[in-house]
């Protein structure tokens, strides 16, 4: 019995890790979408987290916990800087600024010799693994569900549905926007750190625009009615290429098509039900 | 060598400005950041390449072919993707995401169909040569690019500012409902704008393909960041702003590459973008409701 499970784990190890990490990424983009904003910088924040954590582990031999905390803090700081203007602005500006951010981080990693440049960083110690990934995912799921059920969740939903009305009703729009962006980038950074420490290699081109769009498609497919929905979306999209092996080369086309069809025909995702609220 | 760098910067800036003018026209009238715009750029270049190779057209005839095909595809995509959302008065985030998905689909499809290797215009297309003014060398390609960019921009500005169609387009941009009450065919105007922006994107693709002598499916992706920077710095939806900001970015990139470093060159667009968002969020010419053509 245990032997069979062990075999299964070794065969599908990277897939099992991927589902968990992508679940965390899906939640990170959910946090921004839930307040009616669109961030295309999740891959960049993930990359910054991955590089921060990996550099600390490889170059300074820092303990895993230190790497994880730094991998959350550094992207959060970056989000504060980039997100500052969005205190005054809405919608497309954040999307555009975060697309630019993704490009800029890629260029920095590509040209930063200390971090391996174009070759990337390898020999990252394997730490954490399944317990750390799924533990983080579980904590985030429970935490975000509690938030969604609270007054804060109600305010977030109000912002998403009608920003002007929410503002008039006394929701502090700029603060919610900024907090959502900072929290989400910290989550993406943690996901990056976790994935770097299970795959033991990171490179500058793993965190580009395509990765950002893939992360967004998780939440679009699943929906943002509850935190469970984006995680379901990411699980399906992570498993899909494995199930449809012959389609693997067209994965990006499939992802694109899913986004188009989801927005046009299922604007609320495959798990459209909203969470019940108490507060 | 400063004069030479200035010439190079202006030529590069003219292509950026041309690219951004179609992009900002689309945004100004439709209120949607249409990410498929980068695809028209590559499609125009490929269509022009095809017409020089298969039909043996000279470059001055291949440029309109590229623009025409890109424009028609732009109309098709706009109809397929955005009509439904427009009818439902969906928020702009939904439109942005639909075009994002479509872009991903089209890039992957183009890479599969056309291959990702870099292609070039046939050598006879550049009759080559250069003129010297003192120390400054100006290539024929550069002159062609600058001339095409100026002509296309003037034509577009004349159309939008000085014709009845332009008036109708501006009316739709200002208020679609009121425009339709005044007897303007709003759906038709949106098609005209899609066609115009797609054609301009395609023309910019041909010119940039000529300038760098490199055509490949993802060439538009590289331009989109610059396009964003230009339309934000210039003010969303403003043609004059796009023109000025395009030249500014072209000059900034060339001068940075010449006197600082080529790594920094790639970051200039983003630096301009963030600085604008911080200090003058509405851009050079923007106003509160950045909705004009």
């Amino acid at each position: 019995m245990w032997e069979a499970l062990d075999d299964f784990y070794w065969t599908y190890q990277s897939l099992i890790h991927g589902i968990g990490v992508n679940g965390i990424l899906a939640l990170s983009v959910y946090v921004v979408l839930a307040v009616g904003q669109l961030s295309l910088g999740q891959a960049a924040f993930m990359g910054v987290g991955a590089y921060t954590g990996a550099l600390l582990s490889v170059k300074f031999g820092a303990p895993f916990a230190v790497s994880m905390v730094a991998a959350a803090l550094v992207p959060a700081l970056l989000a504060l800087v980039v997100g500052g203007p969005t205190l005054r602005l809405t919608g497309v500006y954040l999307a555009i600024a975060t697309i630019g951010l993704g490009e800029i981080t890629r260029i920095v990693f590509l040209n930063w010799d200390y971090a391996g440049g174009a070759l990337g960083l390898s020999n990252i110690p394997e730490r954490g693994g399944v317990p750390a990934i799924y533990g983080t995912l579980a904590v985030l799921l429970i935490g975000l569900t509690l938030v969604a059920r609270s007054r804060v969740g109600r305010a977030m939903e109000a912002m998403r549905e009608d920003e002007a009305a929410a503002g008039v009703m006394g929701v502090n729009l700029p603060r919610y926007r900024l907090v959502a962006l900072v929290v989400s980038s910290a989550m993406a950074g943690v996901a990056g750190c976790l994935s770097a420490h299970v795959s033991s290699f990171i490179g500058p081109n793993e965190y580009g625009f395509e990765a950002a769009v893939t992360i967004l498609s998780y939440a679009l497919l699943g929906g943002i009615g509850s935190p469970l929905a984006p995680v379901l979306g990411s699980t399906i999209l992570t498993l899909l290429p494995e199930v449809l092996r012959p389609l693997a080369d067209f994965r990006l086309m499939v992802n694109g098509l899913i986004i188009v069809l989801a927005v046009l025909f299922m604007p609320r995702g495959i798990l459209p039900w909203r969470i019940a609220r108490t507060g | 060598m400063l004069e030479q760098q200035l010439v190079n910067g202006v030529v590069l800036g003219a292509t950026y400005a041309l690219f951004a003018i179609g992009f900002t026209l689309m945004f100004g009238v439709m209120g949607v950041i249409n990410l498929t715009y980068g695809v028209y750029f590559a499609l125009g270049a490929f269509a022009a390449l095809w017409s020089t190779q298969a039909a043996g057209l000279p470059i001055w005839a291949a440029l309109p072919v590229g623009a025409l095909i890109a424009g028609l595809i732009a109309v098709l995509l706009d109809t397929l993707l955005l009509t439904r959302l427009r009818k439902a008065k969906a928020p702009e985030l939904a439109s942005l995401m639909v075009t994002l998905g479509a872009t991903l689909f089209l890039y992957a499809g183009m890479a599969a169909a056309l291959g990702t290797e870099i292609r070039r215009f046939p050598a006879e297309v550049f009759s080559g040569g250069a003129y010297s003014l003192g120390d400054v060398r100006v290539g024929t390609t550069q002159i062609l690019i600058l001339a095409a960019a100026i002509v296309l921009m003037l034509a577009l500005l004349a159309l939008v500012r000085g014709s009845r169609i332009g008036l109708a387009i501006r009316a739709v941009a200002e208020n679609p409902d009121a425009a339709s009450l005044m007897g303007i065919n709003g759906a038709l105007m949106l098609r005209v704008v899609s066609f115009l922006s797609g054609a301009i994107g395609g023309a910019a693709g041909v010119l940039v393909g000529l300038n760098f002598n490199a055509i490949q499916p993802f060439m538009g992706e590289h331009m989109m960041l610059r396009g964003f920077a230009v339309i934000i710095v210039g003010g969303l939806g403003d043609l004059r702003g796009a023109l000025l900001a395009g030249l500014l970015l072209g000059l900034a990139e060339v001068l940075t590459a010449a006197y600082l470093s080529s790594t920094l060159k790639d970051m200039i667009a983003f630096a301009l973008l963030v600085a604008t968002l911080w200090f003058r969020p509405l851009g050079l010419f923007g106003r509160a409701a950045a909705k004009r053509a």
Side-chain angles (χ1 to χ4, degrees):
Chain A
M1 169 71 193
W2 286 114
E3 220 166 274
L5 265 182
D6 221 33
D7 276 356
F8 179 82
Y9 175 73
W10 282 110
T11 316
Y12 293 105
Q13 195 182 18
S14 66
L15 193 61
I16 294 170
H17 293 149
I19 290 174
V21 167
N22 291 343
I24 300 174
L25 289 170
L27 286 176
S28 86
V29 73
Y30 157 85
V31 171
V32 196
L33 285 172
V35 297
Q37 297 280 90
L38 175 59
S39 162
L40 284 165
Q42 298 317 108
F45 294 130
M46 179 194 185
V48 172
Y51 268 92
T52 308
L55 281 174
L56 280 174
S57 294
V58 174
K59 307 268 179 183
F60 300 97
F64 186 54
V66 174
S67 296
M68 284 282 280
V69 171
L73 287 181
V74 176
L77 262 175
L78 188 64
L80 265 179
V81 176
V82 177
T86 59
L87 283 171
R88 288 169 290 169
L89 297 161
T90 50
V92 292
Y93 287 93
L94 179 63
I96 292 175
T98 50
I99 289 177
L101 176 74
E103 184 62 17
I104 221 76
T105 49
R106 199 180 61 82
I107 296 170
V108 168
F109 293 142
L110 202 60
N111 290 289
W112 191 17
D113 291 332
Y114 182 69
L119 296 175
L121 269 176
S122 46
N123 292 327
I124 302 165
E126 290 190 28
R127 288 175 184 161
V130 168
I133 293 173
Y134 284 90
T136 311
L137 182 61
V139 168
L140 289 176
L141 257 180
I142 294 168
L144 288 175
T145 306
L146 290 178
V147 169
R149 287 169 63 97
S150 70
R151 275 174 61 88
V152 176
R154 188 185 297 276
M156 286 164 74
E157 191 172 326
M159 279 178 76
R160 187 166 80 227
E161 296 299 325
D162 188 334
E163 207 158 61
V168 173
M169 297 306 287
V171 176
N172 188 337
L173 302 179
R175 189 195 295 168
Y176 272 93
R177 274 187 217 131
L178 191 65
V179 169
L181 184 67
V182 169
V183 168
S184 106
S185 59
M187 287 165 62
V190 164
C193 185
L194 286 168
S195 97
H197 285 86
V198 291
S199 70
S200 86
F201 167 80
I202 53 175
N205 292 321
E206 284 173 48
Y207 308 105
F209 187 63
E210 278 164 16
V213 175
T214 308
I215 296 171
L216 180 67
S217 64
Y218 299 153
L220 285 182
L221 178 67
I224 47 171
S226 66
L228 207 54
V231 175
L232 181 67
S234 72
T235 308
I236 292 174
L237 282 180
T238 314
L239 285 174
L240 205 59
E242 294 299 317
V243 181
L244 306 170
R245 273 236 175 249
L247 269 183
D249 287 345
F250 295 97
R251 204 175 64 243
L252 279 176
M253 280 180 87
V254 172
N255 272 356
L257 201 60
I258 285 173
I259 296 183
V260 171
L261 296 178
V263 176
L264 287 180
F265 301 106
M266 296 190 305
R268 293 197 178 275
I270 48 175
L271 268 189
W273 304 284
R274 307 199 193 168
I275 214 154
R277 235 177 297 282
T278 50
Chain B
M1 282 319 278
L2 179 64
E3 296 88 350
Q4 183 70 59
Q5 302 299 350
L6 289 179
V7 169
N8 296 346
V10 167
V11 172
L12 185 65
T15 50
Y16 287 164
L18 188 62
F19 178 81
I21 256 181
F23 199 16
T24 210
L25 177 71
M26 209 172 242
F27 180 84
V29 178
M30 313 202 183
V32 169
I33 296 267
N34 191 337
L35 294 168
T36 56
Y37 190 74
V39 175
Y40 311 148
F41 184 74
L43 281 174
F46 270 103
L49 179 68
W50 167 80
S51 69
T52 55
Q53 283 176 338
L57 292 181
I59 192 64
W60 55 265
L63 178 68
V65 171
L68 186 73
I69 291 179
L72 291 176
I73 292 174
V75 175
L76 179 73
L77 282 175
D78 184 75
T79 313
L80 272 179
L81 296 174
L82 295 172
T83 322
R84 192 188 163 89
L85 292 175
R86 229 175 256 133
K87 271 193 195 126
K89 295 215 182 301
E92 61 187 12
L93 273 189
S95 325
L96 188 62
M97 289 193 279
V98 163
T99 61
L100 183 67
T103 310
L104 204 62
F105 180 83
L106 291 168
Y107 274 141
M110 272 162 67
L114 300 166
T116 49
E117 72 273 21
I118 290 174
R119 306 192 189 202
R120 299 175 197 292
F121 282 108
E124 63 270 18
V125 166
F126 302 106
S127 37
Y131 301 92
S132 293
L133 288 167
D135 290 341
V136 185
R137 265 172 61 92
V138 186
T140 15
T141 330
Q142 287 186 310
I143 295 174
L144 173 77
I145 287 168
L146 201 56
I150 290 172
V151 167
L152 282 165
M153 270 179 228
L154 288 179
L156 182 70
L157 285 172
L159 184 80
V160 172
R161 294 262 156 215
S163 74
R164 281 185 69 82
I165 290 187
L167 188 65
I169 289 174
R170 280 182 288 146
V172 172
E174 204 66 48
N175 186 337
D177 295 329
S180 86
L181 288 175
M182 296 296 117
I184 292 171
N185 186 342
L188 179 68
M189 285 309 126
L190 292 185
R191 294 228 165 99
V192 171
V193 171
S194 294
F195 177 79
L196 283 175
S197 354
I200 290 166
V206 181
L207 293 177
V208 169
L210 264 181
N211 195 16
F212 297 116
N213 199 14
I215 295 173
Q216 46 105 354
F218 299 104
M219 61 192 282
E221 209 173 4
H222 170 81
M223 280 295 274
M224 281 301 264
L225 176 62
R226 283 152 181 82
F228 283 132
V230 169
I231 66 174
I232 288 212
V233 172
L236 281 175
D238 192 288
L239 294 180
R240 287 170 308 160
L243 190 61
L244 202 65
L247 287 173
L248 187 70
L249 179 62
L251 282 170
E253 280 199 355
V254 167
L255 293 178
T256 315
Y259 297 107
L260 295 168
S261 85
S262 57
T263 310
L264 278 178
K265 184 203 97 178
D266 289 331
M267 300 187 185
I268 283 288
F270 183 73
L272 276 175
L273 196 157
V274 168
T276 309
L277 285 180
W278 268 105
F279 298 111
R280 196 171 157 76
L282 295 173
L284 294 175
F285 289 97
R287 54 178 190 193
K291 253 200 162 185
R292 53 177 158 164

